[in-house]
Amino acid sequence: MHLDDVENETAPRVEQYLSKIKIIRKIAGKIIALLAQLEDFQKKLWLKKKFVVETQWCIRVGCIPESFHGEIAANDAQRDEWVKLFAIDEIQGDLMTPGYSKPLAAAFLKGHPTLVVDTRHFDAGFSARMLEALGDLDAQTDGVLFHSENFQALSLMQARYREQVKCIYIDPPYNTGSDGFAYKDTYQHSSWQALMYCRIGAGLELLSESGTLISSINDIEVSGLRLLLNGQVGEGNYIGTLVWKGATDNNPTRIAVEHEYLVCYAKSKDDLDGHWSAAENEAKQLMLGAFERIQAGAKSRAELALRFEEFTTENREQLGDLYRYRHLDQHGPYTARRNMENPGKPGYMDEVLHPVTGKPCQKPYWGWRFPPSTMRRLLAEGKIIFGETEAKIPELKVYLREVRFPLRSVFALDARKGSNDLDRIFASRVVFKNPKPVELIGHVLPFVASRGDRVLDYFAGSGTTGHAVINLNREDGGQRKFILVEMGDHFDSVLLPRIKKVTFSPEWKDAKPKRLATPEEAERSPRIVKVVRLESYEDTLNNLETRRTDKQQLLLDTPQAQG
């Protein structure tokens, strides 16, 4: 019946229609109420704190008292895992260290302190004795891995880690529909924002006031992500966006899209470090390492200068801007920098006398940037470089070891390096789709996570963030800790094995270690990694027990209910 037909129908007919409408509405109301009850029940199940169904500990052998080594060496399951992950059956012994044997010798463990013992392979009694012997587990736990849906893990973490995290890095689904994520990846924009909203909110509760949140994202959702973060963190806490050129598109439809973003926000900009800079980068390490090697073998200053010049010339492209630090004095590589002028406003106008002519040197336009006391100190340290005459403005001598690097907003890094990382570790590029390169996370971490800070990634994927933290700790001797959350099946096939592998050795090829860790690298490797497995939403549903009360049964037994 249409409303337009009402005036053409008789009153009894209209009354009949209205009665049907009332009945339909009453039935619909009951159906809606039932569906609402089901949705409310599902919501309660979703929000219910999930049980910890299993906890295992992965412990570096070097941290375990030697009194346990014999029992560990005798465990066949543990030995088989080491053969599978670390190829220990290919380790040959020498006069100092025993090689692989079956069963293993306890001395083999002492000679390989980065072997990772997994309590999953041992009975509860042995595990309890070993953990008790280790002492303060929390202080020695350098990594925590949650096998869980990330919202549930973030909820569980609130009591222990609230405001304890210095940096959150996440790589959420880009909403492209082709990323292979365990999370749905073809949302409407509003649904994608709903997915992210509660997780970002829960994560922010864990972030310290001086902490930073960094999220990878692409053009599809960058505006939506900025909108979310502006609302949850505040637009005033926006730090900036890094543009990462990671690909080359040789067949564009219109514009060749070759970049992604890393969006950066502070929990509180007022509490954030005022200046971001890093003391190391790959080119600087390469250049200083070469200088030290050449210096150790050179027989004269002239030979040192000649060989170092040859090195810098041959590696000019790789050294980039640091090529200008090719000059040497008794303290090492240096360059002359024209930054004596006070920037943008009048500075100090004191006279600086040329050491040869004795005449006042030409001043920069705005005057000197340093006060007279600083200029006297720099002169005494030999850090002012003069020209042949006073006509040339003096320059500042800056040593390579003093150089610090800013976090630039645009950088290039081949995205294929992520798959290359996994190929070296697992001898396969397809164990995980679209992994981020370790170098990408390593590029950002030195600016946002100091040596004792905690880093969280709750879209952990293949474990790149944990790998990057381990690498950085080995480089600078820090004790940064990492927390990774992942729900996919690749947690056990990729993420956990990866953390174990990079703990054992820093370098891999064809799924085998290229070399063993040095004693220094071993000491800087993770001591304990805790693995926590949470009950899933599906587990909760499967564990439900339906019970019918006597009153409910009586109602169902009535003739009306039976039809």
Side-chain angles (χ1 to χ4, degrees):
M1 177 182 180
H2 300 284
L3 291 177
D4 292 341
D5 298 332
V6 171
E7 62 183 29
N8 299 323
E9 292 288 352
T10 62
R13 187 65 171 167
V14 171
E15 189 67 29
Q16 185 180 6
Y17 283 133
L18 290 177
S19 298
K20 289 181 179 179
I21 290 172
K22 289 179 181 179
I23 293 171
I24 292 171
R25 181 175 180 180
K26 189 174 182 180
I27 294 172
K30 291 184 179 294
I31 293 173
I32 292 170
L34 175 63
L35 293 175
Q37 288 179 351
L38 290 173
E39 289 182 354
D40 288 342
F41 181 64
Q42 288 178 314
K43 180 181 178 181
K44 287 179 181 179
L45 290 180
W46 176 256
L47 295 176
K48 180 186 86 69
K49 285 192 175 181
K50 300 302 183 283
F51 296 117
V52 175
V53 297
E54 184 184 359
T55 300
Q56 66 192 90
W57 304 82
C58 299
I59 308 162
R60 176 160 52 87
V61 159
C63 301
I64 300 173
E66 290 183 30
S67 58
F68 292 92
H69 286 191
E71 292 176 84
I72 295 170
N75 187 298
D76 291 340
Q78 183 64 85
R79 186 195 67 243
D80 291 343
E81 181 182 85
W82 289 344
V83 170
K84 179 181 177 181
L85 293 182
F86 309 146
I88 64 167
D89 54 330
E90 299 183 15
I91 295 178
Q92 302 296 319
D94 54 36
L95 294 175
M96 301 297 294
T97 308
Y100 175 78
S101 62
K102 192 173 180 179
L104 290 173
F108 182 85
L109 275 64
K110 185 177 180 180
H112 300 88
T114 55
L115 287 167
V116 179
V117 174
D118 191 335
T119 57
R120 221 178 189 190
H121 300 305
F122 297 84
D123 62 59
F126 175 83
S127 298
R129 285 191 292 113
M130 182 171 62
L131 294 173
E132 183 178 4
L134 292 174
D136 189 344
L137 294 177
D138 192 59
Q140 297 178 75
T141 298
D142 295 318
V144 181
L145 312 181
F146 283 92
H147 189 198
S148 165
E149 202 283 331
N150 52 17
F151 179 78
Q152 311 298 342
L154 290 169
S155 299
L156 184 68
M157 279 189 256
Q158 296 298 323
R160 169 63 183 85
Y161 295 110
R162 184 177 291 268
E163 298 187 352
Q164 298 297 308
V165 173
K166 187 62 181 289
C167 173
I168 294 175
Y169 169 79
I170 55 173
D171 180 22
Y174 281 11
N175 215 14
T176 62
S178 59
D179 285 346
F181 280 90
Y183 296 87
K184 183 181 175 183
D185 199 29
T186 53
Y187 289 101
Q188 296 295 320
H189 292 294
S190 58
S191 299
W192 184 88
Q193 290 181 20
L195 165 79
M196 296 299 297
Y197 179 83
C198 57
R199 287 159 177 81
I200 289 173
L204 288 172
E205 294 294 325
L206 305 174
L207 198 62
S208 69
E209 288 300 308
S210 61
T212 308
L213 185 151
I214 301 173
S215 177
S216 287
I217 202 66
N218 66 354
D219 279 319
I220 293 176
E221 288 296 351
V222 65
S223 58
L225 180 64
R226 285 287 313 277
L227 182 67
L228 274 179
L229 290 169
N230 284 344
Q232 291 186 278
V233 189
E235 192 169 3
N237 288 315
Y238 171 64
I239 299 170
T241 297
L242 307 179
V243 181
W244 165 36
K245 183 190 181 303
T248 299
D249 185 356
N250 293 319
N251 298 291
T253 304
R254 294 183 182 88
I255 297 175
V257 179
E258 301 178 338
H259 68 279
E260 297 178 24
Y261 304 104
L262 283 83
V263 178
C264 308
Y265 277 76
K267 176 78 172 285
S268 169
K269 222 175 189 180
D270 293 337
D271 296 301
L272 198 65
D273 295 337
H275 183 71
W276 281 1
S277 65
E280 302 295 338
N281 77 358
E282 189 174 340
K284 180 179 176 180
Q285 291 173 347
L286 173 67
M287 200 169 183
L288 285 176
F291 168 73
E292 291 168 1
R293 287 194 303 274
I294 295 169
Q295 184 183 44
K299 298 177 180 178
S300 66
R301 289 280 298 276
E303 182 186 352
L304 172 62
L306 177 62
R307 290 177 58 191
F308 190 68
E309 183 180 1
E310 291 173 350
F311 165 81
T312 55
T313 301
E314 291 172 1
N315 295 275
R316 182 169 185 172
E317 184 176 348
Q318 191 172 358
L319 295 176
D321 290 341
L322 296 186
Y323 172 72
R324 57 183 172 159
Y325 288 86
R326 63 190 179 278
H327 310 288
L328 293 179
D329 68 8
Q330 68 272 25
H331 300 299
Y334 74 89
T335 192
R337 285 169 57 171
R338 299 175 183 176
N339 59 349
M340 299 288 284
E341 182 176 12
N342 202 55
K345 59 182 180 180
Y348 301 95
M349 303 302 292
D350 304 78
E351 300 291 353
V352 175
L353 301 181
H354 192 276
V356 176
T357 67
K359 297 179 182 179
C361 291
Q362 176 75 29
K363 297 185 185 70
Y365 178 80
W366 287 108
W368 309 108
R369 70 183 300 172
F370 303 115
S373 60
T374 301
M375 292 293 282
R376 287 193 294 271
R377 177 176 60 79
L378 293 173
L379 282 165
E381 293 173 351
K383 297 190 74 172
I384 303 294
I385 299 176
F386 293 90
E388 292 183 4
T389 70
E390 70 280 358
K392 187 177 188 303
I393 297 173
E395 297 174 321
L396 182 66
K397 178 184 281 189
V398 179
Y399 289 99
L400 177 60
R401 66 174 182 272
E402 301 171 336
V403 176
R404 297 189 68 86
F405 304 92
L407 181 56
R408 302 194 182 279
S409 62
V410 180
F411 65 99
L413 172 66
D414 192 339
R416 292 174 296 184
K417 286 188 173 184
S419 294
N420 293 342
D421 293 335
L422 294 183
D423 188 43
R424 284 189 289 270
I425 296 171
F426 295 103
S428 172
R429 298 173 60 84
V430 297
V431 291
F432 185 82
K433 192 175 181 182
N434 297 326
K436 289 293 186 288
V438 174
E439 196 175 333
L440 173 69
I441 316 301
H443 177 75
V444 177
L445 273 184
F447 298 93
V448 295
S450 298
R451 295 189 176 192
D453 289 334
R454 186 173 275 111
V455 179
L456 166 64
D457 182 351
Y458 51 86
F459 285 98
S462 66
T464 300
T465 299
H467 190 165
V469 170
I470 293 170
N471 282 1
L472 186 56
N473 283 343
R474 280 179 171 149
E475 288 173 13
D476 66 9
Q479 283 196 337
R480 298 169 188 84
K481 299 174 185 289
F482 57 88
I483 305 173
L484 308 181
V485 183
E486 182 53 50
M487 67 179 284
D489 292 338
H490 55 269
F491 180 94
D492 286 304
S493 61
V494 180
L495 189 154
L496 180 55
R498 181 181 194 173
I499 297 301
K500 289 179 178 179
K501 279 171 169 278
V502 297
T503 297
F504 180 66
S505 172
E507 295 182 23
W508 292 79
K509 183 179 180 181
D510 298 330
K512 298 178 181 179
K514 286 182 66 176
R515 63 176 179 85
L516 299 177
T518 65
E520 181 180 68
E521 289 170 337
E523 279 302 307
R524 294 178 174 184
S525 300
R527 294 165 292 178
I528 300 175
V529 174
K530 183 179 181 180
V531 181
V532 181
R533 300 174 189 273
L534 298 187
E535 174 189 33
S536 69
Y537 177 72
E538 290 74 20
D539 290 336
T540 304
L541 289 176
N542 292 335
N543 291 332
L544 287 176
E545 290 185 11
T546 56
R547 292 175 183 160
R548 187 176 296 163
T549 66
D550 292 340
K551 185 177 180 180
Q552 290 171 332
Q553 188 62 52
L554 285 172
L555 289 172
L556 291 172
D557 289 339
T558 60
Q560 292 89 341
Q562 296 293 325

